Amino acid sequence: NAGVTQTPKFRILKIGQSMTLQCTQDMNHNYMYWYRQDPGMGLKLIYYSVGAGITDKGEVPNGYNVSRSTTEDFPLRLELAAPSQTSVYFCASSYEGRNNEKLFFGSGTQLSVL
Amino acid sequence: GNSVTQMEGPVTLSEEAFLTINCTYTATGYPSLFWYVQYPGEGLQLLLKATKADDKGSNKGFEATYRKETTSFHLEKGSVQVSDSAVYFCALRATGANSKLTFGKGITLSVRP
């Protein structure tokens, strides 16, 4: 009963490096999301996907890319890491049916860019 | 645009104390309202929700009532436990197709024995 799994849990990057944050869900949810959480701030939506092959920008997409080749996986790519991308990243999924607005979150990835 | 405002934290209470965490919102129409909780080392999880005015959401002893007249959705619990120590997020989802959750900044609750 894994739910939403994110890896890695922690990562330190140097400015200009790239990396991919992995996210997998085993609940057959069609919707998936990436959020970032900065200290003292609410969660901000980076990108989301309504199904395999379909992605769209959220509030703060700059500096990130995503892909959704399968229902289960929704990786987030940072191409040129910047200090402003230091944050905690959460992946989430949901089944967007009638009256179902419940998101399931992973445990987060703490990223520091130095 | 849509926004959620939560009271400033952190909040520290003794076990069995009464809890109120304030949340107000700005949105057009009739949004759905939520409280999410994040326990240490875990992701957020839905605690309760309300989808229309005067609805009361409840779960695990927590309650919140959707107040349209005051645009509020305050979270309450009559007697907190140490295990309630967590970060609490208020959120809304506006009406309309493809609307997404808007979160408040969260508030940390610490309950001491």
Side-chain angles (χ1 to χ4, degrees), chain A residues 43-111:
Chain A
L43 279 72
K44 299 294 184 184
L45 182 63
I46 305 171
Y47 270 96
Y48 67 98
S49 169
V50 302
I54 306 170
T55 62
D56 209 345
K57 296 177 180 179
E59 302 172 74
V60 290
N62 291 343
Y64 306 96
N65 281 300
V66 293
S67 59
R68 184 92 182 272
S69 57
T70 67
T71 299
E72 294 79 18
D73 301 310
F74 191 42
L76 178 71
R77 178 83 177 163
L78 283 71
E79 290 294 350
L80 291 170
S84 61
Q85 294 178 304
T86 294
S87 190
V88 180
Y89 291 83
F90 288 101
C91 179
S93 71
S94 68
Y95 177 71
E96 293 284 330
R98 184 183 295 272
N99 296 324
N100 187 348
E101 300 167 297
K102 180 177 179 179
L103 267 64
F104 292 78
F105 282 81
S107 58
T109 296
Q110 189 167 327
L111 176 67

Side-chain angles (χ1 to χ4, degrees), chain B residues 22-63:
Chain B
N22 290 343
C23 172
T24 57
Y25 68 89
T26 301
T28 55
Y30 295 87
S32 295
L33 302 174
F34 306 83
W35 277 101
Y36 276 79
V37 58
Q38 183 183 17
Y39 297 106
E42 301 182 12
L44 284 73
Q45 55 186 275
L46 180 65
L47 180 60
L48 54 83
K49 72 175 186 180
T51 57
K52 61 182 187 293
D54 300 324
D55 265 3
K56 178 184 286 188
S58 61
N59 186 23
K60 299 182 180 180
F62 291 89
E63 293 183 339

